[in-house]
Amino acid sequence: MVETRSQRKKKLVEMAAGSQVGSSHETETLTLMEKIVWRMGAIETSWEKEVELLTKERATNLKLREEFDELRTQHEYTDLMCTQLEIRVKEVEESRDQGLAKIVNLKKTLEDTRNELAVVKKVVGHNSGGGVPHKKIKEPESYDGTRKAKTLGNFLWDMEQYLERLNLSDGETQVKVAAQFLTKDAKMWWRRRVDQIANGSADDITSWSDLKQALQTHFSPQDDTWEARTRIKYIKQTGSLQAYQQEFSSVALELLNMAEKDKVFNFIIGLKP
């Protein structure tokens, strides 16, 4: 059993009291023992205070650690919430951008529809004579992209006459009206060309002349052109001038890219002497 400080002190006092004081040496010894006892008591008291202080500090440390763990948990939760909020903000921004893009597309579609409606109203107005009944202007046959010089040439001629009868002087309106008569391969070509114009990879088409040139460049058959150039050189007037002119014009229609001065030259060469 471990002796306590008070028990050891009591024991030393009893020993000092029970001893016979025979000399000054013994007296000094007893005095020294008492000092040691009191010093040990002071040390033990100090030690107990330090233990108590350490105990309190340990309790404080544990409390601080618990608070720190709680704060760290709250911080981690806050970080998680911030991350989730950032993700949500990005989703909202993406949704907003998509919504704006849809609005822009719808606005463009609305504008295109209004333009088409204006074109239709204008065409109807020309055909109806502003409410005065008269003979409707005949519409040209649609062009489906057939790569034959006569087919393409007839379409371009008919379309040009149609636009003139409608008295459409605005280039963009001419293009919109003419584009309505493109079907199948020709329509697919026009849709692709519109996309290329939009992204800047192709020149804009702002008039009937531009569209006519683009159609000739893309759909004019090269083989037929060379054959027509050969045939037109050997056409000769053997009968009436009217018959010769009709035959020459039929072949000339296949030469969409042939200069007019070359056509005139070949026509004069083929006349009777």
Side-chain angles (χ1 to χ4, degrees):
M1 182 175 179
V2 180
E3 292 180 337
T4 63
R5 179 175 60 84
S6 59
Q7 289 175 341
R8 286 196 301 272
K9 181 179 178 181
K10 182 179 180 181
K11 185 176 181 180
L12 289 173
V13 172
E14 289 176 350
M15 289 175 61
S19 300
Q20 295 180 356
V21 182
S23 66
S24 60
H25 176 70
E26 290 177 351
T27 302
E28 291 176 358
T29 300
L30 290 175
T31 302
L32 180 60
M33 289 178 64
E34 290 177 352
K35 289 181 179 180
I36 292 174
V37 169
W38 288 109
R39 187 175 181 182
M40 289 178 61
I43 292 174
E44 288 182 353
T45 300
S46 177
W47 178 79
E48 289 176 353
K49 289 181 179 180
E50 291 294 331
V51 170
E52 184 180 358
L53 180 61
L54 288 174
T55 302
K56 291 181 179 179
E57 289 181 350
R58 184 172 182 275
T60 302
N61 185 43
L62 291 175
K63 185 177 180 181
L64 290 174
R65 182 176 293 277
E66 290 177 356
E67 292 178 354
F68 174 77
D69 290 340
E70 184 178 355
L71 288 174
R72 182 173 60 184
T73 302
Q74 292 178 356
H75 178 70
E76 292 174 352
Y77 176 76
T78 303
D79 286 344
L80 178 61
M81 290 298 295
C82 288
T83 302
Q84 292 178 347
L85 286 174
E86 288 178 356
I87 295 174
R88 181 56 181 164
V89 168
K90 289 181 179 179
E91 291 176 350
V92 172
E93 289 178 346
E94 291 176 356
S95 178
R96 179 202 61 190
D97 293 341
Q98 293 175 358
L100 290 175
K102 288 181 179 179
I103 290 174
V104 172
N105 291 333
L106 287 174
K107 184 178 180 181
K108 185 178 183 301
T109 303
L110 179 59
E111 291 177 353
D112 292 341
T113 303
R114 286 176 176 173
N115 291 334
E116 292 178 1
L117 179 60
V119 170
V120 171
K121 285 182 177 180
K122 193 167 186 179
V123 172
V124 171
H126 281 287
N127 288 339
S128 63
V132 179
H134 69 85
K135 186 176 180 180
K136 182 179 179 180
I137 298 176
K138 183 180 178 181
E139 294 182 348
E141 296 289 336
S142 298
Y143 178 63
D144 61 2
T146 301
R147 294 179 181 274
K148 289 185 178 180
K150 282 187 177 181
T151 303
L152 178 58
N154 288 337
F155 169 75
L156 296 177
W157 170 263
D158 292 342
M159 180 55 63
E160 198 157 293
Q161 299 303 309
Y162 181 67
L163 295 175
E164 287 180 0
R165 292 190 186 98
L166 292 177
N167 194 26
L168 296 179
S169 58
D170 180 67
E172 292 185 0
T173 304
Q174 292 175 346
V175 173
K176 289 181 180 296
V177 171
Q180 293 178 358
F181 292 90
L182 300 178
T183 61
K184 297 183 180 179
D185 291 347
K187 186 175 183 178
M188 290 299 298
W189 166 82
W190 176 241
R191 289 178 59 186
R192 185 167 59 252
R193 184 59 182 265
V194 170
D195 291 339
Q196 292 172 345
I197 292 172
N199 60 37
S201 61
D203 294 335
D204 197 2
I205 295 178
T206 59
S207 67
W208 162 246
S209 298
D210 294 342
L211 179 57
K212 179 180 178 180
Q213 181 62 41
L215 288 168
Q216 289 175 338
T217 301
H218 187 80
F219 291 103
S220 180
Q222 297 299 323
D223 293 342
D224 289 356
T225 299
W226 283 109
E227 182 184 351
R229 284 181 178 274
T230 302
R231 284 190 288 121
I232 204 169
K233 288 183 178 181
Y234 294 100
I235 297 176
K236 303 297 180 182
Q237 181 184 357
T238 58
S240 65
L241 178 61
Q242 183 178 0
Y244 170 65
Q245 183 178 2
Q246 184 176 358
E247 182 182 4
F248 187 91
S249 297
S250 177
V251 178
L253 284 174
E254 301 179 26
L255 299 172
L256 301 176
N257 297 323
M258 188 176 188
E260 289 298 324
K261 62 181 181 179
D262 293 334
K263 293 179 182 179
V264 172
F265 175 79
N266 283 284
F267 181 81
I268 295 175
I269 293 296
L271 291 172
K272 286 180 180 181

